Amino acid sequence: MSTADLFPFFEERFSEVDSYVDFLEKLEEATQNGIPRLAVSEYRITAKQQRILYSSVYLQLYNLVEATMARCVSELTEATSSAGTWQPHQLNDHLLQEWVRSTARTHADMSAPSRLKHALEMSTHIVQQLPVKPFVIDVGGGGNWDDEVIYKMAERLGCPLSLSVTTQASVKRKRRDGLGPLQLVKSRRNGLAHGSISFVDCADGVVVRELREMSQCVEAYLREVITCFRDYIDSHNYLRPDSRPSGDTA
């Protein structure tokens, strides 16, 4: 993988959501001429079934958000260990902290002997000046991603999010339940996943135009987030300034 793969990955995933919304749009158009039906069997699609189909958009959009962020974070950690080039002391403070957290497992619940074992492994790594090996950044449990969590994660990794005024306003504009689009996607996805709301109730009063606007807002936001992570990685800003390749001193 490389940062060049980030947008193709995103395009593929978003096209699935967009295609599904296209289908719902045609279905909604068909209801204007009466109850839509399957031509071969004459089976009629009920309003209840339509709501269930509409609710699935929240699940698909949340999956898109989580997959995109997981891929961005993964690309970042892969860059720090690419070709065995960089040593821990060359990482910037943000990434060094994440490397220590992962290598020494500072936040894991373990016995004293196990904690000592991991601390010794990390010490050996530093003393012998070994290159950074692939490591995993703990991004927390599933079901948590929204624009505020994404902002905090990017800040934690030292990757500032420079969003356009239009995108920033769109992602903060309140929609249903007094929530912005990404917060609404997270809330309804979690409600469906945990059973606190039914698929029918989830889409009560929702029309396809609303789902289309929400998906477009999520799309625009994630595109800018991907751009920020791509530029951060490609500019080697995860390294200390004096360790960056010549020309990457931003």
Side-chain angles (χ1 to χ4, degrees):
M1 294 190 299
S2 70
T3 55
D5 298 321
L6 283 173
F7 274 110
F9 170 82
F10 176 77
E11 297 287 358
E12 180 183 355
R13 293 298 183 92
F14 179 72
S15 69
E16 295 177 356
V17 179
D18 202 40
S19 179
Y20 186 72
V21 176
D22 285 343
F23 160 68
L24 296 181
E25 197 168 58
K26 296 301 180 184
L27 180 62
E28 188 172 271
E29 289 175 4
T31 63
Q32 297 174 6
N33 298 316
I35 299 175
R37 64 184 68 188
L38 302 180
V40 177
S41 66
E42 292 296 315
Y43 182 83
R44 296 189 174 190
I45 301 172
T46 66
K48 180 178 181 179
Q49 290 167 329
Q50 266 187 271
R51 286 193 199 174
I52 293 172
L53 291 171
Y54 286 12
S55 293
S56 296
V57 175
Y58 295 102
L59 299 179
Q60 293 179 40
L61 281 174
Y62 185 80
N63 179 271
L64 175 69
V65 173
E66 187 166 276
T68 299
M69 292 311 304
R71 190 63 175 263
C72 286
V73 174
S74 176
E75 290 288 357
L76 177 56
T77 56
E78 283 201 15
T80 65
S81 59
S82 63
T85 304
W86 315 116
Q87 295 179 16
H89 73 273
Q90 293 178 293
L91 301 178
N92 68 25
D93 289 343
H94 299 279
L95 269 297
L96 179 59
Q97 180 173 292
E98 296 300 330
W99 179 80
V100 170
R101 183 197 301 258
S102 176
T103 305
R105 302 186 65 187
T106 58
H107 290 67
D109 185 12
M110 64 180 77
S111 65
S114 293
R115 191 171 297 283
L116 176 61
K117 172 188 172 185
H118 288 290
L120 287 173
E121 288 176 354
M122 186 186 72
S123 298
T124 300
H125 196 112
I126 295 173
V127 170
Q128 295 183 3
Q129 298 186 334
L130 300 175
V132 174
K133 295 180 180 179
F135 65 98
V136 176
I137 292 177
D138 180 15
V139 296
N144 295 322
W145 292 108
D146 61 23
D147 56 292
E148 292 184 358
V149 172
I150 290 172
Y151 176 84
K152 290 177 181 177
M153 174 56 68
E155 187 177 47
R156 171 180 151 187
L157 300 178
C159 175
L161 295 185
S162 300
L163 305 179
S164 67
V165 174
T166 300
T167 296
Q168 187 76 282
S170 178
V171 83
K172 291 300 183 183
R173 185 166 68 84
K174 305 301 182 185
R175 297 176 186 263
R176 289 182 177 268
D177 304 334
L179 301 173
L182 271 84
Q183 294 175 330
L184 180 60
V185 166
K186 181 184 77 170
S187 174
R188 299 220 165 176
R189 176 268 179 191
N190 288 343
L192 292 170
H194 301 148
S196 60
I197 186 174
S198 72
F199 279 79
V200 173
D201 290 339
C202 179
D204 184 27
V206 173
V207 296
V208 176
R209 177 179 53 78
E210 179 181 341
L211 296 175
R212 174 78 73 186
E213 291 174 354
M214 182 173 64
S215 67
Q216 289 174 340
C217 178
V218 172
E219 176 198 12
Y221 174 79
L222 290 178
R223 284 185 184 280
E224 294 194 20
V225 170
I226 292 172
T227 297
C228 292
F229 269 87
R230 182 197 62 192
D231 293 347
Y232 181 65
I233 296 169
D234 289 347
S235 298
H236 295 90
N237 285 342
Y238 54 86
L239 299 173
R240 296 185 183 279
D242 59 358
S243 294
R244 295 169 193 163
S246 178
D248 292 332
T249 57

